[in-house]
């Protein structure tokens, strides 16, 4: 968690009551509840039905890779035991692939 997020969360709850960041009435929030609420809000917002709560994790990982964070660091952040699992998240836009190819220096004699 970066310092900005920490400060924002601290301001929202100046008197932490437990070990969990997000709670409801002082209790840990169930993952199923978060998933259902996210799905409800996504549908209400008119988002594609393929958008799920897990899409946030996928986007996080993809943005890290596109931001030149090493795949090994992304693996650690996601908690994957195998780098092959993390590679699923490392999609690159076509324009970024073209930029990578442009980095090759070709010299002619």
């Amino acid at each position: 968690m970066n310092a900005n997020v920490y400060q924002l969360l601290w301001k929202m709850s100046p008197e932490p009551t437990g070990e969990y960041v997000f709670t409801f009435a002082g209790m840990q929030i169930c993952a199923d509840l978060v998933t259902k609420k996210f799905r409800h809000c996504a549908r209400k917002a008119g988002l594609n039905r393929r958008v799920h709560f897990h899409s946030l994790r996928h986007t996080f990982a993809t943005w890290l890779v596109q931001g030149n964070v090493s795949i090994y660091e992304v693996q650690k952040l996601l908690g994957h035991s195998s780098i092959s699992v993390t590679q699923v998240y490392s999609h690159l836009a076509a324009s970024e692939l073209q930029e990578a190819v442009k980095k090759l220096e070709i010299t002619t004699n």
Side-chain angles (χ1 to χ4, degrees), residues 19-97:
E19 64 181 288
Y20 300 107
V21 175
F22 302 105
T23 62
F24 182 74
M27 302 295 292
Q28 178 184 4
I29 297 176
C30 174
D32 287 342
L33 175 65
V34 173
T35 299
K36 288 177 184 177
K37 290 293 186 183
F38 182 85
R39 185 181 321 124
H40 172 76
C41 291
R43 300 309 168 259
K44 193 172 179 180
L47 297 178
N48 186 309
R49 296 190 73 73
R50 293 182 356 189
V51 173
H52 299 280
F53 190 73
H54 188 78
S55 301
L56 300 174
R57 177 181 170 90
H58 182 87
T59 301
F60 171 71
T62 301
W63 286 355
L64 287 173
V65 171
Q66 290 177 341
N68 295 320
V69 174
S70 82
I71 195 74
Y72 300 104
E73 291 171 305
V74 176
Q75 175 191 7
K76 296 299 180 194
L77 288 167
L78 296 178
H80 293 155
S81 59
S82 168
I83 197 71
S84 62
V85 175
T86 308
Q87 288 173 330
V88 171
Y89 293 94
S90 63
H91 304 294
L92 295 174
S95 61
E96 290 167 330
L97 293 173

Side-chain angles (χ1 to χ4, degrees), residues 7-20:
Q7 290 298 325
L8 177 65
L9 291 172
W10 184 258
K11 286 179 185 177
M12 291 174 61
S13 179
E15 298 177 28
T17 57
E19 64 181 288
Y20 300 107

